[in-house]
Amino acid sequence: MTTTLVIVGAGPRATGLLERIAANAAELLPAERPLAIHLVDPYPPGAGRIWRHDQPPLLRMNSMAEDVTMFTDERSTLDGPVRPGPSLAEWAVRQEEFAPYREVADPAVRAELRTLAPTDFPTRRAQNAYLDWVFRRAVADLPPHVEVTVHRDTVRRIDGPADGPQTVHLGNRTLTADHVTLALGHLDSAPHPRHAADADFAARHGRFHLPPAYSADVAAELARIAPGEHVVLRGLGLASVDLVALLTEGRGGRFEPAGAGDALRYHPSGREPVLHLGSRRGVPYHSKTGYRLQGPPPPLPRYFDAAAVDAVLATEGPLQLRRDFWPLMAKEIAYGHYHELFHAHPGRTTLPWPAFLARYDRHDWYSPELAALVAEAVPDPADRIDFERLDHPLAGLELDSAEELQAHLRAYVTADADRRADPAHSADLGAFLALLSLFGQLPRVAASGRLTARSTAEELDQWFFGYFSFLASGPPGFRLRQLLALSEAGVVRFLGAGVRVDRDEATGTWRASGTTVPGHTVTATALVEAYLPKHALARTLDPVLRELHRTGRIVEEVVDDPDYTHRSGLVTTAPADGRLLDPALGGTPHPRRTALGPHTSVRTAAAFARPRTNAPVFRQNDAVARALLRALAALPTAPALAA
């Protein structure tokens, strides 16, 4: 009488789903309906590939330990029960109190966890240990009639009728499942065609070229870059930060304190290459704040809530993110900023908060009345939030020399690192929290089908998610201090904004230039695309998605306009319960196949969240778990057998 669920992938997203199955099983899965859950992943369960222990210990999280949780809490709005649990910080220092306890095997990780402060940025190996425990707790919390089996294997193919059991083909066996869920996590794709010319160029001239990749996966390949070799790193986000660390400190260089404050000095090992860093903006991502709110948390959302989104969706005609939604989103982010400024630093404002808020409520974000209000109430421009200036910090800047550029960028990075470490600027953290709150409604906007294809492509998937990462998903502050030290040591050279990389066939080298120093060019014998790969279904390297796509059983999200077509590369799923839309079923949801994660059209990338933020990922996990349990409980009582 046992029913069977196969979950493809056993990383954090699968673990979160398992936790929600455990939370909801008592209500939705009768004891007379035993359930066998099979998790299939070549990597260890809990952490999966991205957070596996087997990666360089230099690699860090970009979140403080107290800001990482896998558990719901009192602010979670779910249909299922809330089951609180410890954050990474709480678990690290009290592991013995949280069952099922098992000593962490790695002595270095054990030592790190014993001294981990809530505001520390842990190693990824520390997160691996936390995720391993969360997985074991989720399994332990399942009722007796639910059993879990883990297969360290890869799913190659899924087939079966829509109204019957599914056959899941592993490397050397098959499983028969009543339902299959794809929780595949972050995936690789074959390089975009735009990288093919550089790859061919490198092969012809014996040069090094690295397409977008996850840093832990390519650490060994970096050994092919010679000491002293000039390398262009295109990108200044988190991947760039990791690659710079591996190519400097990872080659034996060391940092030491330099004078007062947090300044560092870098002592090269002599094995480093020369790294030329540039991007479209030309500056690193803003570092994460290293402090807590100084005032009360802002009550979010206020302007970009369900009612506001409903009102926009109720209007006629095609919608655009920047025109129709961004003014509400910007006002929400700025509300978080000014709420903290007025409550924590009232001496830098000229109005009482209630008076400011009453007027702020009345005006649109881009109205002259609101601009006048902010100018009146916040005298120092440094305390005001300016989204356009933040988005293009080097816009219009032209310098006369490369050395001027290095000095300008060092001053910019120093100011950013100082600001993000100073609680006097905690309004930045208020803005960050409000920015996170946008994701409570943004998936609805994406799934509504009302955005034009061009807006979905250029404004949502490109501009907004890139802007979010730039503002809110940067590195720990100490990474910017290290970047400064590397710049002062001459190991890192900044290229500025608007970076362009050309191939010189005559010399077999790449020539990189930017708009910030007109006419300045650097020559390099290695090119690294220093940003994370974006999954594209048509080029996916995942075998099960590739086979489902080849056989026409899944569909890529496509938004069509008369003059524009956007193929997002994401797998289209039903927003409510994550079921895969199946072209063979007329584009309707497949009753026995579900997917969730960053490769789906719901666009939920993070598998864990900041505590007490009512994280959308937990809400989606809960909704999918409840739908799965209802579907499994309603099946006829014929057994599904594992072969």
Side-chain angles (χ1 to χ4, degrees):
M1 308 296 290
T2 299
T3 54
T4 303
L5 169 65
V6 172
I7 302 176
V8 186
R13 197 59 194 271
T15 298
L17 178 64
L18 197 64
E19 188 276 334
R20 289 288 85 201
I21 289 174
N24 285 283
E27 175 191 351
L28 299 175
L29 189 71
E32 62 272 15
R33 297 302 306 266
L35 173 62
I37 300 176
H38 295 263
L39 290 101
V40 187
D41 197 315
Y43 293 94
R49 168 193 165 199
I50 300 299
W51 299 97
R52 66 189 186 272
H53 177 270
D54 181 22
Q55 58 183 298
L58 277 176
L59 300 182
R60 298 263 184 163
M61 301 188 74
N62 69 326
S63 295
M64 295 190 297
E66 68 179 8
D67 290 338
V68 177
T69 188
M70 287 285 289
F71 296 101
T72 55
D73 53 49
E74 72 279 4
R75 294 195 183 175
S76 302
T77 55
L78 312 165
D79 290 331
V82 168
R83 285 195 174 180
S87 67
L88 168 56
E90 293 165 334
W91 172 81
V93 297
R94 296 162 39 214
Q95 296 172 50
E96 296 85 353
E97 299 178 23
F98 299 109
Y101 171 70
R102 183 171 72 195
E103 185 178 67
V104 174
D106 186 328
V109 176
R110 283 205 308 272
E112 178 187 357
L113 293 172
R114 279 196 299 269
T115 60
L116 190 68
T119 54
D120 284 345
F121 289 85
T123 65
R124 297 186 191 176
R125 288 181 170 185
Q127 174 70 346
N128 167 274
Y130 175 63
L131 293 171
D132 171 74
W133 171 77
V134 174
F135 173 78
R136 291 185 289 107
R137 167 168 157 163
V139 172
D141 284 348
L142 289 164
H145 61 296
V146 180
E147 294 186 352
V148 172
T149 304
V150 176
H151 305 268
R152 294 287 296 275
D153 208 333
T154 300
V155 173
R156 305 290 176 183
R157 190 170 85 251
I158 300 169
D159 49 43
D163 58 352
Q166 307 295 290
T167 303
V168 183
H169 300 262
L170 282 59
N172 56 7
R173 65 173 300 186
T174 61
L175 299 170
T176 301
D178 294 297
H179 201 106
V180 179
T181 295
L182 306 180
L184 297 166
H186 293 278
L187 298 172
D188 291 320
S189 303
H192 191 281
R194 67 173 173 267
H195 300 307
D198 286 311
D200 292 343
F201 179 84
R204 285 197 311 275
H205 294 283
R207 304 304 192 188
F208 180 85
H209 173 255
L210 186 69
Y214 291 97
S215 306
D217 294 339
V218 297
E221 288 189 51
L222 299 178
R224 294 166 51 198
I225 298 176
E229 184 170 9
H230 285 258
V231 185
V232 169
L233 271 71
R234 184 157 44 189
L236 277 163
L238 294 180
S240 179
V241 167
D242 289 345
L243 292 165
V244 168
L246 294 173
L247 287 166
T248 56
E249 196 176 5
R251 291 195 170 192
R254 60 185 178 86
F255 296 95
E256 67 174 22
D262 297 323
L264 298 173
R265 180 180 295 108
Y266 183 69
H267 295 275
S269 69
R271 298 166 54 206
E272 299 89 347
V274 180
L275 304 174
H276 301 274
L277 276 60
S279 66
R280 181 176 60 83
R281 286 190 182 91
V283 298
Y285 281 12
H286 288 286
S287 73
K288 284 291 184 68
T289 55
Y291 47 73
R292 301 183 175 109
L293 284 178
Q294 307 300 294
L300 301 166
R302 185 177 181 90
Y303 306 102
F304 193 67
D305 58 8
V309 170
D310 286 343
V312 177
L313 293 177
T315 60
E316 295 183 359
L319 299 175
Q320 299 174 20
L321 185 80
R322 294 289 290 263
R323 182 192 68 197
D324 300 304
F325 292 101
W326 171 248
L328 295 170
M329 298 160 70
K331 191 173 181 181
E332 188 76 64
I333 302 168
Y335 166 71
H337 177 96
Y338 292 122
H339 184 279
E340 173 68 6
L341 181 70
F342 276 74
H343 286 83
H345 314 287
R348 288 160 30 205
T349 65
T350 63
L351 291 175
W353 171 249
F356 174 84
L357 183 60
R359 292 168 62 185
Y360 188 87
D361 280 340
R362 291 199 298 268
H363 303 305
D364 294 333
W365 174 248
Y366 286 108
S367 67
E369 293 84 0
L370 192 139
L373 168 64
V374 170
E376 173 192 348
V378 184
D380 188 347
D383 285 330
R384 303 172 195 163
I385 194 164
D386 182 336
F387 295 109
E388 284 67 36
R389 178 181 55 81
L390 286 169
D391 198 9
H392 302 287
L394 301 184
L397 178 68
E398 288 191 1
L399 301 174
D400 293 330
S401 70
E403 292 312 314
E404 258 191 277
L405 173 62
Q406 307 315 305
H408 183 89
L409 263 293
R410 283 197 287 267
Y412 172 92
V413 173
T414 299
D416 183 59
D418 288 348
R419 182 179 177 108
R420 294 300 179 110
D422 186 354
H425 296 289
S426 61
D428 292 348
L429 181 54
F432 168 79
L433 294 173
L435 184 57
L436 287 184
S437 78
L438 301 182
F439 288 88
Q441 297 300 323
L442 202 58
R444 290 183 58 218
V445 174
S448 69
R450 296 290 310 285
L451 291 179
T452 67
R454 188 177 297 276
S455 179
T456 303
E458 298 177 1
E459 297 180 340
L460 178 63
D461 286 345
Q462 293 182 29
W463 172 74
F464 177 76
F465 284 110
Y467 193 29
F468 170 82
S469 296
F470 173 62
L471 291 179
S473 193
F478 75 86
R479 290 296 196 198
L480 291 191
R481 306 287 184 190
Q482 291 178 346
L483 193 63
L484 285 168
L486 291 167
S487 172
E488 290 162 353
V491 175
V492 160
R493 302 280 296 174
F494 297 110
L495 292 168
V499 162
R500 172 175 173 169
V501 182
D502 297 307
R503 296 173 292 277
D504 186 339
E505 290 287 352
T507 62
T509 59
W510 285 279
R511 296 174 62 81
S513 59
T515 59
T516 314
V517 184
H520 174 67
T521 302
V522 301
T523 300
T525 51
L527 173 63
V528 173
E529 306 295 351
Y531 46 92
L532 298 178
K534 181 180 179 182
H535 183 252
L537 181 58
R539 294 181 282 110
T540 185
L541 297 180
D542 181 77
V544 67
L545 285 185
R546 185 170 60 237
E547 184 64 15
L548 287 170
H549 186 242
R550 186 190 68 81
T551 56
R553 301 310 303 265
I554 54 176
V555 60
E556 180 180 3
E557 182 193 52
V558 178
V559 187
D560 269 315
D561 283 343
D563 62 343
Y564 195 92
T565 298
H566 172 49
R567 308 186 73 89
S568 71
L570 304 173
V571 180
T572 308
T573 57
D577 58 12
R579 286 185 296 161
L580 286 163
L581 301 194
D582 190 336
L585 302 177
T588 61
H590 194 293
R592 299 199 179 226
R593 298 176 184 173
T594 297
L596 69 171
H599 60 286
T600 70
S601 56
V602 178
R603 293 171 169 81
T604 50
F608 40 84
R610 192 183 182 102
R612 290 172 291 282
T613 57
N614 193 21
V617 63
F618 297 159
R619 301 204 305 269
Q620 188 193 26
N621 287 348
D622 188 70
V624 170
R626 291 176 68 83
L628 285 172
L629 290 170
R630 286 194 183 97
L632 292 168
L635 287 173
T637 55
L641 304 175

